[in-house]
Amino acid sequence: TQLLEQSPQFLSIQEGENLTVYCNSSSVFSSLQWYRQEPGEGPVLLVTVVTGGEVKKLKRLTFQFGDARKDSSLHITAAQPGDTGLYLCAGGPSGIYNQGGKLIFGQGTELSVKP
Amino acid sequence: DARVTQTPRHKVTEMGQEVTMRCQPILGHNTVFWYRQTMMQGLELLAYFRNRAPLDDSGMPKDRFSAEMPDATLATLKIQPSEPRDSAVYFCASGFFAVSNQPQHFGDGTRLSIL
C-alpha cells in the first residue's frame, strides 16, 4: 500500500514568516500534486510535478519533487493571512498504467497565518 | 469556469435513514471520484468511475454504500442504512484522464451529519 505522510500536521505562524511543508513516502510516485483547501470548499490544485528533482514556483510558493520521486516539499516565503488553509499533497501511483487517475492523498497540513 | 456541482451541501438525518448525494461532473470529463473527508482519516477514496463504469470501489463499505452513474451528467452515492460513523464531508471530483498526471476538480462537498 502506498502512503504519503505530511508534516507538520498543524502550523501557526505570523505574517511575514517562511515555512516548509513536507510530504514523504517509501514508495515511488509517477507525479505529485499539491492542493489547497479552504473551509467549506473542495481542494483546488496548486501544482503538479512529474520529474525527479523538478522545482516549480507559483509566486511566493516553491514546490520541489525529490530526485527519487518519493518525496516533495512546499515552501512559502513571507506568508500572508490569505495563505491560511489546508495543504494536501497527492501522489499518482507509479506503474505501467496510472490506475485511471487515482491519487493517494496525504493527511494534510493545516496552516494558520496570523496578521 | 466550469465546476463540479454537489447536492445537497448539507444533510442532517437520523440513524437508519437513506441518504443520497448527487454530483454533476464537469462536462467532458471521463472520470468521477467519490471521497470522504474526516479529521481523523483525512481524504479517503471511496470509489471511482471511468466513462460511467466502476473502476474501483474497494474503499467503500459494500453492505451500506452504493455508487452509480446513471448518465454522464450525474453520479450518485447512497448510504442505506446510515449510521452516526458515516458523518463526514463527502466530495465528488472529476477529471479527464486520457493520459496520467491530470488534475482532479473537486466540488464543494456534502456535509453529512447522522444523529
Side-chain angles (χ1 to χ4, degrees), chain B residues 7 11 13 25 36 40 48 50 52 67 70-71 81 94 106 115:
Chain B
T7 56
K11 176 75 174 179
T13 191
R36 174 171 62 187
M40 292 298 295
Y48 67 112
R50 168 70 57 81
R52 296 175 54 200
D71 61 61
S94 71
F106 284 79
L115 306 176

Side-chain angles (χ1 to χ4, degrees), chain A residues 31 33 37 40 99-100 107, chain B residues 9 37 41 48 50 101-102:
Chain A
S31 66
Q33 298 180 352
Q37 184 178 11
Q99 299 184 33
Q107 288 283 82
Chain B
R9 290 297 314 276
Q37 187 176 42
Q41 300 296 328
Y48 67 112
R50 168 70 57 81
N101 307 325
Q102 297 302 299

